[in-house]
Amino acid sequence: MRKTTATPADVARRVGGIPAQPGRKETGSMAESLVPGDGSAARAASATAGSGSVTRGVGAGAEAVAQAATAGAGAGSGAHDPVAGADGGAADVIAGAGPVARSGERPTVRLRDVGPEDQPRYAPEWLELREPADAAARSMDLLDPLRIRLANLPGRGGLAIHDLGCGTGSMGRWLAPRLDGAQHWILHDRDPYLLHFAAVASPRAGADGSRVTVETRRGDVARLTPDALLGASLVTASALLDVLTREEIETLAAACAGAGCPALLTLSVAGRVEFSTTDPLDDEIAAAFNDHQRRDGLLGPDAVTVACEAFAAHGATVKVHPSPWRLGPENVGLTAQWLRGWVGAAVEERPALAERAETYLAARLAACAAGDLHVTVHHSDLLALARPTGGV
């Protein structure tokens, strides 16, 4: 696919590197030191904490890059100290994060209660690593029915697209250049650090050259307030459904129905993994990982089924299409990190697996490094076409 805009890594190279995550824990245990894989524990944590709201239009890329350079200069310290703003006042800015809520702004999402041990961030390096595989996996078959619906939405002067749990903005980089017309993307994430990268690296034009603009809103997308999607043309999310509960998915479906807007929800884990060479421990680790995904009421591999039921209950037409990662020798870095996260989550769920899993992981990583391993990690994309409120 032709590269249409800068990725977070491109921006990071221009401004001196992606800052380290503030407060990242370093441990020696296998389960805790593994980089989280597709839908594992850290991604569940990523849907939990956050506060406030950020609304910010994105202008010229040079200005955003300059801000990234300024933000990145002290980001490695892990400090969460207020810093002086341009007017000399204090702004509570997490290092590397960009602006926070202005006085009087109201969050559009409610926040879950979180504990002091909850990790506050995805690693942007992980999101960057998986972005090409995500882009290759997303279903192109769902785009035509989506385009038809968007073209026929009543009373729209341009598209207002809400991207829930946007991370570093990979969904927008994939989808915006494939849609015609002016687009305004509202990027939701609880992590201001990721919102900053998403804004900096957002596309500037749609498929027909029309302008793409962006604003960011900080908060947890798990529980939308009733008015959060008013005026929305489309709701998108990537790798989000499987870290929601049944109640949260039902709330999302109701919000989309109330707004009369379609939802394109991609890359939900399906609970199935296939290797080019089988191992007796494959199924046991897969089952433990899937149980780990279902902790604390999260839906994990059951999420797409629940979402289909929830959207259909509100009268939406629902289409589901497979979107597997197909990882081979060209994806050694991603495959290795995914393996560590997949096995690590399984061991966290079933500690009795630890000794056998260590040997298993070593063998799989050796095959990966040698270019001998192919893995298919199954996901599903879902398109829900709600009844437009204007009556088409």
Side-chain angles (χ1 to χ4, degrees):
M1 183 181 74
R2 183 174 63 87
K3 189 171 176 181
T4 57
T5 187
T7 68
D10 295 328
V11 172
R13 281 189 285 272
R14 291 200 296 268
V15 302
I18 296 175
Q21 293 183 85
R24 181 184 291 175
K25 293 183 178 179
E26 301 293 343
T27 89
S29 95
M30 182 179 78
E32 293 180 353
S33 64
L34 302 178
V35 172
D38 173 49
S40 65
R43 196 151 59 79
S46 78
T48 59
S51 64
S53 170
V54 173
T55 54
R56 174 176 177 268
V58 177
E63 177 186 357
V65 170
Q67 291 173 349
T70 302
S77 66
H80 291 237
D81 299 328
V83 297
D87 59 358
D92 185 13
V93 178
I94 296 174
V100 295
R102 295 188 294 268
S103 176
E105 286 184 339
R106 179 181 55 81
T108 57
V109 291
R110 292 193 294 266
L111 308 178
R112 288 177 178 160
D113 294 330
V114 298
E117 298 304 315
D118 285 321
Q119 290 296 294
R121 289 178 170 81
Y122 275 124
E125 297 87 349
W126 165 248
L127 298 178
E128 174 67 23
L129 187 62
R130 66 175 287 170
E131 183 168 344
D134 288 349
R138 288 190 184 97
S139 171
M140 299 294 290
D141 291 347
L142 297 179
L143 289 184
D144 279 347
L146 174 61
R147 291 186 188 108
I148 292 169
R149 173 53 60 88
L150 294 178
N152 288 285
L153 286 176
R156 309 289 188 185
L159 299 178
I161 303 173
H162 288 253
D163 188 17
L164 308 183
C166 67
T168 57
S170 66
M171 186 66 168
R173 286 188 291 276
W174 180 81
L175 183 59
R178 290 174 165 84
L179 298 179
D180 289 332
Q183 303 168 44
H184 182 66
W185 284 70
I186 302 95
L187 307 179
H188 298 258
D189 203 283
R190 67 178 193 86
D191 188 339
Y193 185 77
L194 298 181
L195 282 171
H196 178 73
F197 277 98
V200 166
S202 63
R204 296 297 185 265
D208 59 355
S210 296
R211 187 181 182 197
V212 174
T213 57
V214 173
E215 68 176 276
T216 61
R217 295 185 186 176
R218 185 183 174 195
D220 184 351
V221 302
R223 292 180 178 274
L224 295 168
T225 55
D227 61 345
L229 301 180
L230 290 179
S233 309
L234 172 66
V235 169
T236 66
S238 189
L240 177 69
L241 284 182
D242 41 77
V243 295
L244 299 182
T245 66
R246 178 180 292 272
E247 178 186 0
E248 289 159 356
I249 286 179
E250 289 173 349
T251 299
L252 172 60
C256 290
C261 68
L264 179 63
L265 309 169
T266 68
L267 295 166
S268 298
V269 296
R272 294 182 293 116
V273 174
E274 297 174 12
F275 291 92
S276 52
T277 56
T278 61
D279 184 284
L281 206 55
D282 290 345
D283 290 344
E284 195 170 350
I285 290 179
F289 175 81
N290 289 342
D291 287 344
H292 189 279
Q293 286 254 282
R294 297 183 177 104
R295 283 184 170 190
D296 302 321
L298 304 181
L299 289 169
D302 307 318
V304 169
T305 298
V306 171
C308 287
E309 295 169 351
F311 279 95
H314 287 279
T317 300
V318 182
K319 302 175 184 290
V320 176
H321 200 275
S323 53
W325 278 357
R326 302 190 189 276
L327 308 180
E330 69 280 9
N331 310 109
V332 167
L334 175 60
T335 304
Q337 295 288 32
W338 170 81
L339 274 167
R340 293 186 179 101
W342 187 64
V343 175
V347 170
E348 185 176 307
E349 182 66 24
R350 298 184 192 174
L353 283 172
E355 185 175 349
R356 289 182 294 150
E358 185 174 357
T359 302
Y360 172 93
L361 178 60
R364 287 298 194 197
L365 288 174
C368 176
D372 296 332
L373 186 67
H374 292 76
V375 188
T376 301
V377 183
H378 289 276
H379 304 90
S380 297
D381 289 0
L382 180 151
L383 175 64
L385 300 173
R387 295 170 178 166
T389 54
V392 172

